[in-house]
Amino acid sequence: MEKVTDYFGCNVFDDRIMKATLSEKVYKSLKRTIDRGTPLDISVANAVAAAMKDWAIEKGATHYTHWFQPMTGVTAEKHDSFISPAPDGRVIMEFSGKELVKGEPDASSFPSGGLRATFEARGYTAWDPTSYAFIKDGTLYIPTAFCSYTGEALDKKVPLLRSMDAINRQALRILRLFGNTKVKVVKTSVGPEQEYFLVPAELYAQRKDLIMSGRTLFGAMPPKGQELEDHYFGSIKQKVSEYMADLDKELWKLGILAKTKHNEVAPAQHELAPIYSTTNIAADHNQLTMEVMQKTAKKHGLVCLLHEKPFAGVNGSGKHNNWSLSTDDGVNLLSPGETPYENAQFLLFLVAVIKAVDDYQDLLRLSVATAGNDHRLGANEAPPAVISIFLGDELTGVLEAIEKDIPYGGYEKEKMQLGVDVLPKFSKDTTDRNRTSPFAFTGNKFEFRMLGSSNSISCANIHLNGAVAEVLKQFADELEKADDFSTALHDLIRRTISEHKRIIFNGNGYDDAWIEEAERRGLLNMKTTADCMPRICDKKNVDMLTSHGIFTEAEIYSRRDIMLENYVKAVNIEALTMIDMARKEIIPAVAKFASDTAKGVSVKASVSGAECKYEKRIISELSGLVDKMDEATSALEEAAAELKGIGEAVPASEFVRDNILPKMDVLRIAADKAETLTAEDYWPFPTYDKLLFGVK
Ligand code: ADP
Ligand code: MG
């Protein structure tokens, strides 16, 4: 057996390969660019390109691609071969620094939300040297950012890098105030836990809804769901375990730190978590992970569903965004320290995050809003659409003591003096309440749990980084002016706790009472994408995002439209798929079963004079349901036709929320009821029991 340490990262042009293949001068210059963002000289780019090409060709690659993340939610790539004609009719393999640094894909076929109308159709991709190049399927992949010719971001990476820059600038100001002159860079790190479902490929192929929309649009609950709680952390089935082993291996070859795997709550649901890394690398790796998950599943006769809600009635899939902030000398700024000085600094960063989440609840909510994720958030599933922060009782107690200037219970009798006292040791919170929170402090990081399983993690982190950067800026502005730093710091922390403690909630997020309580506290509860997405254009949000250079105003409006259009398109496809399945599959099947049953009645009655109570009831109920489905389908058809006529993104999304989705529900309820009355042989596609329990 091959050893993991032998093949880990074998397809990655990583630091080890750079050191081995580049001259010392080129290597050092590239390292400076990677670590500190200093501009790269073209001669250095040429040398790196040559080394990359030789290494890639050695590994069997014939092509290279600039790999980027347009607003479609998936990644994009255009492959060019290395070949270049030689005078003697043969070819040589070439790859220049210019080709490494910049690509020019036609931007006109990617969503730009109006930016294209105002600017040129051409776009360019720019190498992101902080994320390693890698080889996949015979092609050298170069991670890049994607912009219009005039510099507008057309992707998710450009604003992500800008947001990391913003938080770096402001966090450094704070550290300087604490007398720290050594730290050069502060970076955010993310470890995204990824949930997914596996279903047998041959069953998937028989369901138009799964093929077209990634989720089941019809389906009655089987007798068994997740109520026995026997799946979570349960022993892993052979076929799944083989899949997971293969997946780990493929990810490791790509240098992805796949670490943990286990069964999740719902039947057929699983999770994979990597070890955390710098946010832009984590984002690249998560996109790659989702791709490799789907590809590897095919090899095993399975399909990997990344949709947020593939099945009604059992848990959906999310992605937990574990987020922290650390310095280049390895200090986690969200980790309670050993000394009073470190503790004061920790508390300042902690309350900064609390204020940021409270001030920008809307931005965080909308950063994870998609048609798919709306089925989890605000739909009786964790977490709710209301954003709150879990801190645990101990830390909440400390903040309370600071705010009210009273002794901290359980800890000495003394009042806490910032910068003088050491914080008590917090034991890791292991309560179940924590798991229901949308935004939980877990010892030395925050876990943002609202992301959907298919979301790119970029959007959530752009807004989170931006919000925290803004608060750190306000803090730095205030503290830099202060005559007495300690007093000003103490006042600032106290005031922040008192103004923003409404966002802290340590109770059970599943509880309906919490939603009422949240309303009393004035927290936002935005259930759908249509409700929250337009708020990205609120003045407060535009001011924050533009002042930190994360987005231009034009980019913000374009993103609102793109995200709303994606929502409208996704639901529209679902509606059309439902119409198709109802008209061509479900209604004919149910009608046929009813009429076959009717034929049986006449035969039976003529022979025996039997009453045929069962048959008559079934025929009557099913005929009623067939009519209902027919009506509901027609109503949905009309609504879908009306939607076509609405051009603007905001009214279209509202129409989807108010007209299309409720009509889809009416059709589904009738069809699911019919499923429970129709003989299994007649049902036109595989049912939930087979999909959820079909993998052996
Ligand atoms: P759990 O959520 O089950 O308690 P862990 O805390 O071990 O599990 O980690 C969950 C995820 O959080 C993993 O991807 C892990 O790498 C990541 N993580 C751990 N520490 C940090 C950190 N300081 N910053 C960001 N992510 C982290
Ligand atoms: Mg977790």
Side-chain angles (χ1 to χ4, degrees), residues 189-193 233 259-260 271 273-277 320-325 332 428 442 444-447 449:
S189 306
V190 168
E193 301 166 58
F233 281 16
K259 171 86 174 164
T260 310
E271 180 182 298
I275 296 171
Y276 66 99
S277 48
H320 293 173
N321 191 83
N322 293 274
W323 179 92
S324 69
L325 199 57
N332 180 349
K428 198 172 153 131
T442 48
N444 60 358
K445 62 185 189 291
F446 279 98
E447 189 167 342
R449 299 205 178 98

Side-chain angles (χ1 to χ4, degrees), residues 20-31:
T21 59
L22 299 172
S23 74
E24 198 180 318
K25 188 164 154 256
V26 170
Y27 172 77
K28 278 198 174 139
S29 171
L30 179 61
K31 266 305 253 187

